Amino acid sequence: MRFLHLSDLHLGKRVCEFSMLDDQRYILEQILSLLDTHPVDAVLLAGDLYDKPVPPAEAVRLLDWFLTALAERKLPVFAISGNHDSADRIAFGSHLLAESRVYMSPVFTGAPEPIPLTDEYGPVDIYLLPFLKPATVRHVWPEEPAESTQSYSDALGCVLRRCKRDPAHRSLLVAHQFVAGAAVCESEEPSVGGLDSVDVSLFEGFDYVALGHLHSPQKVGRDTARYCGTPLKYSFSEAGQQKSVTFVELGPKGSISITTEPLTPLHDLRELRGSYMELTDRRAYEGTATDDYLHITLTDEQDLPDALARLRVIYPNLMRLDYDNRRTREQQTVEGPARAEQQTPLEHFAAFYQLQNNQPLSEEQAAFCQQLIESIWKGEDDA
């Protein structure tokens, strides 16, 4: 039995205030084309279908279109809610959708029940486990000792122990959690200190674990517990990644093969570095994808007026502009309390301005601020 493993669509996401909806539709169309040339028996969607608990209408329509396209291909779909989703919204209409073999995870009320599929080797039991927090598990089983649901790992273990698995059947778990030891990138939201992590050993007994939550494709602990990663790059920490989709084939019990197929985005997300003159030299950019989403780092020693607007004439989807020069590399520190008490209001403001902008107030700015401070003091005296 062959599956397509997807996760973290983040429909409706904005990156540096750029809407990704057109890019998301483009990549979903590409995935549908891949399914036409690489047939599967079912599709797994491992959470974060949307980027926000209350997604924009355009994102809802996009997911509706994608699920409809999968249903038209007679493909069962197994989807769960992630930490970015509203579990209630994902569960809405789940009983009706199940009639079309689109299985959406319900709001968590207990251990997931298996949804069976069958092929020539027998049954495959699929378990849908939405993103869970310890408080959610404690609410369902208040009789459990507090220590058994204290951490994310404890809570998930409490749930999985209650799963009724037949060891003779092949079993597949769709889950959305942060597994300890996995690599993270900037567009994800792990908690400080890894408090939301779970141990990969909890998934023993499942033949394949289709994970969502982390954006880099990777295995965790074993080849058959995997994050497929996002279909698009959502941060510049992912600029060097090749995004892909993951195909999983379950043969007889114990036989699993995993392959990936690369995805090509409408606009790649890349980083460029150099001086303003180098990056605006026609020979440097001619024939390149200048409409890609870009992070440009300028190495000029002096800030250039309107550099962002001027660069966008050539690179219209420039998302982020930084400088790397002697000024930006200087260590900025905040004055200690003793020194701060001796500073005038203007010196306080000037220090704050330099800390925020990596450059001092100009004479004109300083004169204006001094006038503003004096007018404020005068107003207080008059009062």
Side-chain angles (χ1 to χ4, degrees), residues 92-319:
F92 175 78
S94 57
H95 295 294
L96 287 173
L97 288 170
E99 296 296 322
S100 299
R101 298 205 299 172
V102 176
Y103 303 97
M104 309 296 283
S105 62
V107 175
F108 182 75
T109 57
E113 295 292 330
I115 304 171
L117 295 178
T118 305
D119 65 4
E120 64 270 28
Y121 301 111
V124 176
D125 293 335
I126 300 174
Y127 296 83
L128 300 182
L129 185 65
F131 174 72
L132 291 179
K133 295 182 178 181
T136 308
V137 177
R138 287 195 291 270
H139 178 75
V140 172
W141 293 303
E143 72 280 2
E144 280 288 323
E147 61 271 14
S148 67
T149 57
Q150 187 170 4
S151 70
Y152 276 77
S153 207
D154 293 335
L156 193 65
C158 182
V159 176
L160 294 179
R161 284 194 300 272
R162 288 172 162 80
C163 278
K164 300 173 184 176
R165 297 198 301 273
D166 187 331
H169 292 186
R170 293 163 294 168
S171 59
L172 190 155
L173 176 69
V174 186
H176 191 94
Q177 302 288 160
F178 173 36
V179 180
V184 300
C185 50
E186 287 178 0
S187 54
E188 300 149 5
E189 299 176 355
S191 66
V192 176
L195 296 177
D196 58 350
S197 65
V198 302
D199 196 285
V200 69
S201 63
L202 295 173
F203 303 125
E204 290 179 5
F206 291 98
D207 293 274
Y208 183 78
V209 184
L211 290 166
H213 189 39
L214 301 187
H215 292 186
S216 303
Q218 59 191 294
K219 66 178 182 180
V220 190
R222 57 186 171 100
D223 287 341
T224 53
R226 300 184 73 87
Y227 290 100
C228 62
T230 53
L232 289 172
K233 300 173 185 179
Y234 288 136
S235 78
F236 287 103
S237 65
E238 303 167 58
Q241 293 182 11
Q242 171 63 64
K243 295 299 185 179
S244 60
V245 291
T246 299
F247 291 96
V248 183
E249 187 164 355
L250 302 185
K253 180 76 172 177
S255 174
I256 302 174
S257 64
I258 300 165
T259 58
T260 60
E261 287 291 330
L263 294 172
T264 303
L266 178 62
H267 304 102
D268 201 359
L269 189 141
R270 300 187 290 120
E271 294 184 297
L272 295 178
R273 178 187 176 86
S275 70
Y276 178 82
M277 293 302 294
E278 289 169 340
L279 295 175
T280 56
D281 187 331
R282 184 180 297 273
R283 292 169 297 181
Y285 65 79
E286 199 165 42
T288 68
T290 55
D291 63 344
D292 279 348
Y293 295 123
L294 297 177
H295 169 207
I296 289 180
T297 301
L298 290 178
T299 57
D300 302 86
E301 284 299 328
Q302 298 297 323
D303 288 4
L304 301 169
D306 300 320
L308 184 65
R310 290 160 67 182
L311 285 167
R312 278 181 176 163
V313 173
I314 299 170
Y315 307 103
N317 291 325
L318 171 56
M319 286 182 162

Side-chain angles (χ1 to χ4, degrees), residues 11-13 21 24 50 55-64:
L11 299 182
K13 187 173 183 65
L21 274 168
Q24 290 170 333
Y50 296 120
E58 297 86 355
V60 176
R61 287 194 289 268
L62 185 56
L63 181 62
D64 176 67

